[in-house]
Amino acid sequence: MIVSSAPFRVSFAGGGSDIASYYRRQAGAVLSCAIAKYSFVIVHNYFNENKYHLKYTRTELADTLENIAHPLLREALRMHRVEPGIEVASVADIPSGTGLGSSSSFSVALINALYAHRSRFASKDQLAEEACKLEIDILKEPIGKQDQYAAAHGGLNFIEFNSNGGVNVQPVVLSSEKMAELESNILLFFTGSQRDTRSVLSTQVQAMETDEDKFRTVERMVQLAYEMRDILMSGDLGAFGEALHRGWMMKRSLTSQITNSAIDEFYDAARAAGAVGGKLAGAGGGGFLVLYCPKDRQAKVRQALSQLKEIEFRFDWSGARIAFAQ
């Protein structure tokens, strides 16, 4: 039996520049962290050697790959030439459609589990590259590359996307005191709504491809990602929070699907209560509200957002890993 895990992520700046429509024209960059909330994949030999037994929100028992309904499972098993007689189950700490990169975390954990099942090692870059191939090239999902690399590597990273398709992952190094302060000053609140990431991202991609002003907005978001990396490394966390707010103002201007009146009310209430800045995690439209707020103001922010579910978390430093093998 193999138990594999990969963390979810919180993106701070540069989202959208990891999509080919952007980085093929101009190099992109994002600043993000992995959090200790995970997708788990269990792989085990199945008693019936002629069947694929798959368990997620539903259960599948299939004779052939073509009969598997779950696209990620079907194509990952095809990529790795896995024959029947295998059982794959998945669970997660947080549901999909909430902006924390759950699909890519699942993909990375699944690919790592399939390698481990055959007693093979795959590097973190290899896991991320294969997850990108699976989701973007094979399944044609309208997504970028940042989630796969964040899930594979873990940690707090500045990730660059080159026009030739290459990806550079650069850990952001802070003192232990500053890292602890940053970790404790980031709050996550679930807005209560999940959304179809494909629809939101497809609209953003179309906007970048057809509207030069929208492309230039993403360009400014990339510049802000570099600025925020440098701000973090200087230790000025207050300025980091303010830059987070500026980035949200840019992002919400890309399409009307990114935010709505309810989300705006939550965000404004958090800022009025003491949060310095924030944004919606992921593509937008729902999911988690990410806030930067010093500890002495957090009680008031929690009171202002008392109707929302807060998720406590810590940073993840391991990335994708095999938690159990026997």
Side-chain angles (χ1 to χ4, degrees):
M1 176 184 288
I2 301 296
V3 180
S4 170
S5 67
F8 290 2
R9 66 93 187 97
V10 171
S11 180
F12 298 123
S17 72
D18 60 328
I19 295 173
S21 298
Y22 183 88
Y23 67 70
R24 283 183 185 143
R25 288 182 58 185
Q26 187 163 306
V30 300
L31 177 67
S32 70
C33 70
I35 63 173
K37 300 293 181 182
Y38 301 94
S39 287
F40 297 91
V41 173
I42 301 165
V43 173
H44 189 260
N45 289 327
Y46 188 45
F47 181 78
N48 188 334
E49 296 177 353
N50 299 311
K51 299 284 187 180
Y52 295 98
H53 194 204
L54 311 174
K55 303 173 184 177
Y56 45 103
T57 53
R58 55 175 287 194
T59 298
E60 294 191 56
L61 195 61
D63 298 305
T64 66
L65 290 172
E66 288 69 25
N67 290 330
I68 295 174
H70 193 294
L72 283 171
L73 281 168
R74 181 184 65 244
E75 299 307 325
L77 292 170
R78 193 192 308 278
M79 278 176 62
H80 284 260
R81 301 178 181 177
V82 178
E83 299 293 331
I86 193 169
E87 185 171 20
V88 182
S90 69
V91 294
D93 288 328
I94 295 173
S96 61
T98 53
L100 299 181
S102 59
S103 174
S104 296
S105 294
F106 170 72
S107 297
V108 169
L110 174 60
I111 292 168
N112 204 19
L114 294 177
Y115 270 112
H117 182 66
R118 293 174 293 154
S119 300
R120 296 184 181 179
F121 170 79
S123 69
K124 294 184 182 299
D125 278 338
Q126 185 177 353
L127 293 174
E129 288 165 9
E130 286 199 22
C132 288
K133 179 180 179 181
L134 174 64
E135 295 188 90
I136 301 170
D137 299 336
I138 296 175
L139 292 174
K140 308 299 182 185
E141 297 288 0
I143 62 174
K145 293 182 173 183
Q146 68 158 313
D147 295 354
Q148 299 87 345
Y149 281 85
H153 282 267
L156 175 64
N157 297 302
F158 187 74
I159 309 174
E160 295 178 305
F161 309 94
N162 303 318
S163 58
N164 64 1
V167 179
N168 301 319
V169 180
Q170 306 167 22
V172 177
V173 180
L174 306 179
S175 69
S176 57
E177 292 81 6
K178 282 297 177 183
M179 192 69 78
E181 183 181 355
L182 175 66
E183 182 181 59
S184 66
N185 287 354
I186 297 172
L187 306 178
L188 278 178
F189 290 91
F190 182 47
T191 62
S193 61
Q194 296 166 252
R195 76 285 185 270
D196 181 1
T197 302
R198 298 176 189 87
S199 174
V200 179
L201 281 173
S202 294
T203 302
Q204 291 184 37
V205 170
Q206 184 178 19
M208 281 195 295
E209 291 177 340
T210 60
D211 188 330
E212 190 66 18
D213 288 340
K214 303 299 185 186
F215 184 89
R216 295 306 169 195
T217 297
V218 178
E219 183 179 46
R220 291 194 297 274
M221 291 164 62
V222 171
Q223 293 169 352
L224 182 65
Y226 280 92
E227 180 183 338
M228 290 175 71
R229 176 199 62 182
D230 294 342
I231 286 171
L232 277 182
M233 295 180 71
S234 75
D236 189 349
L237 298 187
F240 171 80
E242 293 167 359
L244 197 62
H245 173 70
R246 285 190 278 129
W248 172 238
M249 293 297 103
M250 294 180 197
K251 181 173 181 175
R252 68 195 305 278
S253 71
L254 290 174
T255 81
S256 60
Q257 293 187 22
I258 288 177
T259 188
N260 57 48
S261 59
I263 291 169
D264 289 342
E265 287 178 9
F266 291 139
Y267 183 71
D268 291 343
R271 289 256 295 166
V276 180
K279 66 188 289 291
L280 274 182
F288 279 90
L289 190 61
V290 183
L291 299 170
Y292 180 84
C293 182
K295 287 188 72 67
D296 60 350
R297 307 178 198 172
Q298 290 180 7
K300 290 185 177 179
V301 170
R302 290 188 172 102
Q303 183 177 8
L305 301 181
S306 59
Q307 66 192 98
L308 302 184
K309 179 180 178 64
E310 182 181 5
I311 301 296
E312 296 184 1
F313 71 95
R314 300 187 66 83
F315 291 163
D316 167 87
W317 300 105
S318 299
R321 67 188 183 97
I322 301 301
F324 178 84
Q326 180 174 304

